[in-house]
Amino acid sequence: MTSEQKEIIQYHIDNKFIMSIDRCFNGETISTVGFPICFSDEFVLTTIVTDFRDEGYTILRTKDIVDAYSNESYSFNEQICVSEGLQDKIQQRHVKDIDSLKQILLQLKKYDGFICIQCEQQLERCSFYMGEIITIADDRVNFKDIGMDGMWDDETHDISYEDITQISFGDNYSKMYYKYAKR
């Protein structure tokens, strides 16, 4: 993340404006639209807004950011999102310290719901895990994953911090699985 991108993100945080953050993996650009909440040297915490709907929160690595922006066309969309109360999500966050991945995971271990961990930089395919944190070490997290069929994987997954590119929570997808999956 460049110093100019940091300034743009900070401007949007200070003014509670909506923006896009672009990341690139394997030649594919992934855009996240939302209200940025805070950032550190290594991570950005933002809400996610999709089609004027709240889609929870996400934590992105700053080293993956290739662009951070908003433009005039965002103004009307932002008015709608503010009117729908999506800007209020900034104050309802569950993660306050984003200085290290270990600190983020320790806070999310207490979260009452499923979290999603993505490892988007893997060449074969993006790895997506949804479920619960079991244990947290200095360099990895042990994670219990739930499958698309609503059944828990038999084994846990050790996920290296260096592979984690995004952590999200509070989205409709994970909330529905949390509500209906067998525990």
Side-chain angles (χ1 to χ4, degrees), residues 11 27 33 45-46 61 81 93 95-96 132 157-158 161:
Y11 174 80
V33 176
L45 170 62
T46 184
R61 295 189 312 191
C81 291
R93 67 185 193 190
V95 176
K96 299 194 183 330
E132 298 175 342
H157 303 272
D158 276 325
Y161 289 172

Side-chain angles (χ1 to χ4, degrees), residues 144-163:
K144 186 74 169 172
D145 188 44
I146 191 162
M148 301 268 309
D149 59 1
M151 302 299 291
W152 289 97
D153 284 356
D154 292 334
E155 298 179 16
T156 61
H157 303 272
D158 276 325
I159 307 168
S160 171
Y161 289 172
E162 69 183 43
D163 292 337

Side-chain angles (χ1 to χ4, degrees), residues 39-172:
F39 71 94
S40 66
D41 288 337
E42 297 198 29
F43 301 100
V44 173
L45 170 62
T46 184
T47 68
I48 304 172
V49 175
T50 305
D51 297 331
F52 311 109
R53 289 186 325 247
D54 165 34
E55 282 298 328
Y57 301 90
T58 193
I59 298 164
L60 309 171
R61 295 189 312 191
T62 57
K63 73 179 187 178
D64 299 325
I65 295 174
V66 296
D67 204 0
Y69 59 93
S70 66
N71 56 42
E72 290 179 24
S73 68
Y74 280 51
S75 179
F76 184 64
N77 290 346
E78 184 174 81
Q79 289 174 21
I80 294 171
C81 291
V82 169
S83 294
E84 291 294 313
L86 299 184
Q87 192 181 51
D88 301 338
K89 294 281 295 183
I90 294 170
Q91 304 306 319
Q92 302 166 7
R93 67 185 193 190
H94 301 275
V95 176
K96 299 194 183 330
D97 179 357
I98 63 167
D99 288 331
S100 74
L101 197 47
K102 184 175 182 178
Q103 277 303 111
I104 290 167
L105 293 166
L106 286 168
Q107 293 167 84
L108 287 173
K109 187 160 178 33
K110 300 173 189 170
Y111 176 67
D112 189 24
F114 290 152
I115 67 167
C116 301
I117 294 177
Q118 291 186 52
C119 304
E120 300 157 294
Q121 67 193 8
Q122 296 178 349
L123 292 175
E124 311 85 59
R125 63 178 180 86
C126 168
S127 294
F128 176 86
Y129 305 94
M130 179 176 58
E132 298 175 342
I133 296 169
I134 303 301
T135 59
I136 300 165
D138 288 335
D139 64 343
R140 64 188 55 252
V141 61
N142 187 262
F143 198 79
K144 186 74 169 172
D145 188 44
I146 191 162
M148 301 268 309
D149 59 1
M151 302 299 291
W152 289 97
D153 284 356
D154 292 334
E155 298 179 16
T156 61
H157 303 272
D158 276 325
I159 307 168
S160 171
Y161 289 172
E162 69 183 43
D163 292 337
I164 298 173
T165 58
Q166 179 175 346
I167 299 173
S168 56
F169 57 98
D171 57 289
N172 192 53

